Amino acid sequence: MVAGNGTVQGTLTLAGLPIGNVEDAPPRLLRALEEARIIAAEDTRRLRQFATRAGVRLGGAQGARVVSYYDANESRRTDELLEDLREGRDVVVVTDAGMPGVSDPGYRLAAACADEGIRVTAIPGPSAVTTALVVSGLPTDRFCFEGFPPRKGLASHLAELAGERRTMVFFESPHRIAATLAAMAEAFGADRRAAVCRELTKTYEEVRRGGLGELAAWAAEGVKGEVSVVVEGMRPAAAAASDEDLAAAVAALEEEGVRRKEAIGRVAREAGVPKRRVYDLVHGISGAQ
């Protein structure tokens, strides 16, 4: 690509690697890795392992310059790679699995190239987001990707998503999945439908479906491998439930002798709304939605 000053610029290629099964690698990806001169990889060791399994020689006979490009060095490496691109050298960016820039390094360099008018292209590949979505059994017509839930402020973050009507897709680490599912059950309701997708496209692939409360109890026993979580959005009927109706329903149950805690839980389940919302309404907490 020719820049405004007449110099030839390189092209940035964001290349998606298989999320598990090496046989999912498209021919265009393998050819790009063999022809590459500079490859920026989230984990250079894992890239070389993938190349060996796929029967690819990185950079062909001439060999490619393979550099690390991960969270800790992304800022510094972006500047270095941007200079390569300015000087006419093509750069291929890969992550451990899936598309660069989607909860992985790549966005910063792509944005910098876009700002400077440097060509950015992609080699699309398998995505854990859409793979988990389509095998979940939940609605696929409208969805949103929420990435990794925050380590701090998880409850408030999920509370903000409680009214989301689109199907939500999350990533999570195996050692945090039980706590996250429990927090989701509290924020969205224990009966909200969800699916935990583990080790997608790999030998021990597993898709566990059920209510969030049920899935949280299952995950408490321990989960291994890469995990994606798909959660059903709030149903329209639940979204339409008014604060007054919810509070009145709890009051009616209490008059029948049902304890308040149990009444709150029952109303939340039947209305398909988070228990926290009903609790806040009943106790007059400011900001209840």
Side-chain angles (χ1 to χ4, degrees):
M1 181 174 179
V2 180
N5 59 8
T7 60
V8 178
Q9 296 177 322
T11 295
L12 172 65
T13 300
L14 304 172
L17 263 63
I19 60 176
N21 193 325
V22 68
E23 294 180 1
D24 291 336
R28 185 179 167 211
L29 168 65
L30 302 181
R31 185 169 64 252
L33 293 175
E34 288 184 333
E35 296 175 352
R37 291 295 168 262
I38 303 174
I39 303 176
E42 183 178 15
D43 186 324
T44 58
R45 181 180 58 85
R46 293 185 66 171
L47 171 63
R48 295 187 189 282
Q49 291 174 344
F50 166 78
T52 298
R53 294 197 306 271
V56 173
R57 187 173 180 181
L58 300 176
Q62 182 177 336
R65 172 159 64 93
V66 180
V67 300
S68 61
Y69 188 53
Y70 55 97
D71 291 340
N73 76 350
E74 186 176 6
S75 179
R76 171 176 58 83
R77 191 71 81 187
T78 292
D79 293 336
E80 297 173 2
L81 295 172
L82 197 57
E83 188 59 31
D84 281 317
L85 289 158
R86 292 189 189 111
E87 295 179 1
R89 291 183 284 272
D90 295 338
V91 174
V92 176
V93 175
V94 298
T95 59
D96 293 346
M99 284 299 299
V102 181
S103 287
D104 278 322
Y107 161 76
R108 185 173 303 192
L109 181 56
C113 288
D115 288 343
E116 294 199 17
I118 295 173
R119 182 171 182 259
V120 180
T121 188
I123 299 175
S127 166
V129 178
T130 52
T131 302
L133 177 68
V134 297
V135 302
S136 69
L138 296 172
T140 60
D141 54 335
R142 298 179 68 231
F143 70 93
C144 58
F145 174 55
E146 293 296 331
F148 285 92
R151 292 178 180 272
K152 295 182 179 180
L154 176 60
S156 59
H157 177 76
L158 294 176
E160 293 176 358
L161 296 174
E164 174 61 64
R165 295 194 184 188
R166 295 171 295 181
T167 300
M168 295 170 281
V169 183
F170 300 84
F171 288 164
E172 188 53 286
S173 62
H175 69 275
R176 294 184 60 210
I177 185 62
T180 296
L181 287 170
M184 287 179 172
E186 178 69 22
F188 303 152
D191 293 333
R192 180 82 71 92
R193 294 191 302 164
V196 177
C197 306
R198 187 181 69 85
E199 294 289 89
L200 288 170
T201 77
K202 299 178 183 178
T203 302
Y204 297 104
E205 175 180 287
E206 178 182 16
V207 179
R208 193 92 176 189
R209 305 176 182 88
L212 282 167
E214 174 190 347
L215 291 173
W218 163 76
E221 300 178 4
V223 176
K224 295 181 179 180
E226 301 290 333
V227 179
S228 299
V229 181
V230 186
V231 181
E232 181 182 33
M234 177 180 279
R235 297 174 185 175
S242 70
D243 292 351
E244 292 76 11
D245 290 342
L246 295 172
V250 172
L253 288 173
E254 287 187 284
E255 290 179 2
E256 296 174 7
V258 178
R259 293 196 315 173
R260 173 169 290 187
K261 182 178 180 180
E262 181 181 346
I264 290 172
R266 187 186 302 182
V267 169
R269 285 194 301 273
E270 292 176 354
V273 301
K275 185 166 65 176
R276 170 59 63 180
R277 175 185 174 190
V278 182
Y279 178 93
D280 289 349
L281 288 169
V282 172
H283 289 87
I285 297 177
S286 177
Q289 298 294 324

